[in-house]
mmCIF file of all heavy atoms in Angstrom:
data_model
loop_
_atom_site.group_PDB
_atom_site.id
_atom_site.type_symbol
_atom_site.label_atom_id
_atom_site.label_comp_id
_atom_site.label_asym_id
_atom_site.label_seq_id
_atom_site.Cartn_x
_atom_site.Cartn_y
_atom_site.Cartn_z
ATOM 1 N N TYR A 33 263.664 270.809 25.294
ATOM 2 C CA TYR A 33 263.304 270.319 26.618
ATOM 3 C C TYR A 33 263.385 271.433 27.655
ATOM 4 O O TYR A 33 262.518 271.546 28.529
ATOM 5 C CB TYR A 33 264.208 269.142 26.999
ATOM 6 C CG TYR A 33 263.786 268.507 28.311
ATOM 7 C CD1 TYR A 33 262.591 267.831 28.422
ATOM 8 C CD2 TYR A 33 264.581 268.604 29.442
ATOM 9 C CE1 TYR A 33 262.175 267.250 29.628
ATOM 10 C CE2 TYR A 33 264.201 268.040 30.640
ATOM 11 C CZ TYR A 33 262.994 267.360 30.727
ATOM 12 O OH TYR A 33 262.608 266.811 31.910
ATOM 13 N N ALA A 34 264.408 272.272 27.568
ATOM 14 C CA ALA A 34 264.545 273.387 28.499
ATOM 15 C C ALA A 34 263.374 274.354 28.386
ATOM 16 O O ALA A 34 262.850 274.847 29.385
ATOM 17 C CB ALA A 34 265.871 274.114 28.266
ATOM 18 N N LYS A 35 262.938 274.604 27.165
ATOM 19 C CA LYS A 35 261.775 275.479 26.958
ATOM 20 C C LYS A 35 260.525 274.847 27.572
ATOM 21 O O LYS A 35 259.705 275.537 28.186
ATOM 22 C CB LYS A 35 261.561 275.745 25.459
ATOM 23 C CG LYS A 35 262.562 276.693 24.879
ATOM 24 C CD LYS A 35 262.293 276.911 23.411
ATOM 25 C CE LYS A 35 263.340 277.821 22.790
ATOM 26 N NZ LYS A 35 263.115 278.010 21.329
ATOM 27 N N LYS A 36 260.381 273.543 27.395
ATOM 28 C CA LYS A 36 259.227 272.827 27.975
ATOM 29 C C LYS A 36 259.248 272.944 29.490
ATOM 30 O O LYS A 36 258.220 273.207 30.122
ATOM 31 C CB LYS A 36 259.270 271.368 27.522
ATOM 32 C CG LYS A 36 258.134 270.528 28.043
ATOM 33 C CD LYS A 36 258.269 269.084 27.585
ATOM 34 C CE LYS A 36 257.225 268.212 28.218
ATOM 35 N NZ LYS A 36 257.415 266.805 27.864
ATOM 36 N N LEU A 37 260.414 272.752 30.088
ATOM 37 C CA LEU A 37 260.507 272.871 31.548
ATOM 38 C C LEU A 37 260.182 274.286 32.015
ATOM 39 O O LEU A 37 259.527 274.479 33.043
ATOM 40 C CB LEU A 37 261.925 272.496 32.021
ATOM 41 C CG LEU A 37 262.284 271.024 32.013
ATOM 42 C CD1 LEU A 37 263.740 270.843 32.414
ATOM 43 C CD2 LEU A 37 261.381 270.237 32.949
ATOM 44 N N ALA A 38 260.644 275.286 31.266
ATOM 45 C CA ALA A 38 260.370 276.663 31.631
ATOM 46 C C ALA A 38 258.868 276.943 31.566
ATOM 47 O O ALA A 38 258.341 277.674 32.420
ATOM 48 C CB ALA A 38 261.116 277.615 30.692
ATOM 49 N N MET A 39 258.179 276.384 30.608
ATOM 50 C CA MET A 39 256.723 276.569 30.505
ATOM 51 C C MET A 39 256.008 275.916 31.677
ATOM 52 O O MET A 39 255.031 276.442 32.181
ATOM 53 C CB MET A 39 256.193 276.018 29.175
ATOM 54 C CG MET A 39 256.662 276.788 27.976
ATOM 55 S SD MET A 39 256.274 278.546 28.049
ATOM 56 C CE MET A 39 254.495 278.471 27.900
ATOM 57 N N GLU A 40 256.479 274.744 32.116
ATOM 58 C CA GLU A 40 255.895 274.091 33.266
ATOM 59 C C GLU A 40 256.041 274.955 34.498
ATOM 60 O O GLU A 40 255.149 275.054 35.323
ATOM 61 C CB GLU A 40 256.547 272.723 33.507
ATOM 62 C CG GLU A 40 256.161 271.674 32.515
ATOM 63 C CD GLU A 40 256.869 270.354 32.762
ATOM 64 O OE1 GLU A 40 257.443 270.180 33.847
ATOM 65 O OE2 GLU A 40 256.854 269.509 31.864
ATOM 66 N N LYS A 41 257.171 275.603 34.639
ATOM 67 C CA LYS A 41 257.430 276.490 35.786
ATOM 68 C C LYS A 41 256.411 277.620 35.788
ATOM 69 O O LYS A 41 255.873 277.969 36.819
ATOM 70 C CB LYS A 41 258.849 277.055 35.683
ATOM 71 C CG LYS A 41 259.179 278.166 36.623
ATOM 72 C CD LYS A 41 259.858 277.660 37.850
ATOM 73 C CE LYS A 41 260.340 278.770 38.744
ATOM 74 N NZ LYS A 41 259.317 279.300 39.589
ATOM 75 N N LYS A 42 256.136 278.192 34.636
ATOM 76 C CA LYS A 42 255.196 279.300 34.547
ATOM 77 C C LYS A 42 253.767 278.874 34.873
ATOM 78 O O LYS A 42 252.971 279.674 35.289
ATOM 79 C CB LYS A 42 255.236 279.914 33.151
ATOM 80 C CG LYS A 42 256.525 280.633 32.843
ATOM 81 C CD LYS A 42 256.511 281.193 31.430
ATOM 82 C CE LYS A 42 257.852 281.801 31.106
ATOM 83 N NZ LYS A 42 257.911 282.257 29.723
ATOM 84 N N ALA A 43 253.464 277.589 34.707
ATOM 85 C CA ALA A 43 252.119 277.099 34.926
ATOM 86 C C ALA A 43 251.824 276.810 36.400
ATOM 87 O O ALA A 43 250.770 276.340 36.731
ATOM 88 C CB ALA A 43 251.891 275.838 34.084
ATOM 89 N N ASP A 44 252.773 277.079 37.293
ATOM 90 C CA ASP A 44 252.591 276.786 38.727
ATOM 91 C C ASP A 44 251.475 277.668 39.301
ATOM 92 O O ASP A 44 251.618 278.900 39.368
ATOM 93 C CB ASP A 44 253.906 277.039 39.466
ATOM 94 C CG ASP A 44 253.833 276.625 40.922
ATOM 95 O OD1 ASP A 44 252.727 276.304 41.404
ATOM 96 O OD2 ASP A 44 254.892 276.621 41.576
ATOM 97 N N PRO A 45 250.358 277.078 39.704
ATOM 98 C CA PRO A 45 249.230 277.868 40.195
ATOM 99 C C PRO A 45 249.481 278.532 41.555
ATOM 100 O O PRO A 45 248.711 279.400 41.961
ATOM 101 C CB PRO A 45 248.091 276.855 40.280
ATOM 102 C CG PRO A 45 248.787 275.551 40.489
ATOM 103 C CD PRO A 45 250.090 275.662 39.741
ATOM 104 N N THR A 46 250.520 278.129 42.261
ATOM 105 C CA THR A 46 250.787 278.729 43.558
ATOM 106 C C THR A 46 251.568 280.041 43.444
ATOM 107 O O THR A 46 251.678 280.746 44.437
ATOM 108 C CB THR A 46 251.562 277.754 44.472
ATOM 109 O OG1 THR A 46 252.836 277.476 43.871
ATOM 110 C CG2 THR A 46 250.794 276.481 44.680
ATOM 111 N N GLU A 47 252.107 280.316 42.288
ATOM 112 C CA GLU A 47 252.859 281.553 42.119
ATOM 113 C C GLU A 47 251.892 282.708 41.831
ATOM 114 O O GLU A 47 250.848 282.540 41.244
ATOM 115 C CB GLU A 47 253.850 281.411 40.986
ATOM 116 C CG GLU A 47 254.994 280.498 41.311
ATOM 117 C CD GLU A 47 256.058 280.489 40.228
ATOM 118 O OE1 GLU A 47 255.924 281.208 39.228
ATOM 119 O OE2 GLU A 47 257.020 279.730 40.430
ATOM 120 N N MET A 48 252.313 283.888 42.268
ATOM 121 C CA MET A 48 251.518 285.088 41.978
ATOM 122 C C MET A 48 252.464 286.212 41.640
ATOM 123 O O MET A 48 253.631 286.206 41.997
ATOM 124 C CB MET A 48 250.631 285.454 43.180
ATOM 125 C CG MET A 48 251.371 285.890 44.428
ATOM 126 S SD MET A 48 250.275 286.336 45.780
ATOM 127 C CE MET A 48 249.902 284.733 46.438
ATOM 128 N N THR A 49 251.920 287.190 40.927
ATOM 129 C CA THR A 49 252.730 288.356 40.565
ATOM 130 C C THR A 49 252.882 289.256 41.785
ATOM 131 O O THR A 49 252.162 289.109 42.790
ATOM 132 C CB THR A 49 252.075 289.156 39.433
ATOM 133 O OG1 THR A 49 250.832 289.712 39.916
ATOM 134 C CG2 THR A 49 251.835 288.290 38.202
ATOM 135 N N LYS A 50 253.791 290.166 41.669
ATOM 136 C CA LYS A 50 254.003 291.146 42.751
ATOM 137 C C LYS A 50 252.718 291.953 42.999
ATOM 138 O O LYS A 50 252.329 292.209 44.131
ATOM 139 C CB LYS A 50 255.143 292.097 42.326
ATOM 140 C CG LYS A 50 255.630 293.017 43.377
ATOM 141 C CD LYS A 50 256.844 293.779 42.851
ATOM 142 C CE LYS A 50 257.402 294.704 43.887
ATOM 143 N NZ LYS A 50 258.576 295.454 43.407
ATOM 144 N N GLU A 51 252.030 292.302 41.912
ATOM 145 C CA GLU A 51 250.773 293.057 42.055
ATOM 146 C C GLU A 51 249.704 292.251 42.764
ATOM 147 O O GLU A 51 248.970 292.776 43.623
ATOM 148 C CB GLU A 51 250.286 293.506 40.652
ATOM 149 C CG GLU A 51 251.161 294.534 39.978
ATOM 150 C CD GLU A 51 252.414 293.963 39.363
ATOM 151 O OE1 GLU A 51 252.495 292.713 39.149
ATOM 152 O OE2 GLU A 51 253.344 294.740 39.086
#
Side-chain angles (χ1 to χ4, degrees):
Y33 186 67
K35 286 179 183 179
K36 181 181 173 184
L37 286 176
M39 293 304 292
E40 287 179 15
K41 169 97 173 82
K42 291 178 185 176
D44 186 350
T46 62
E47 289 186 2
M48 66 179 82
T49 65
K50 189 175 182 180
E51 292 78 18

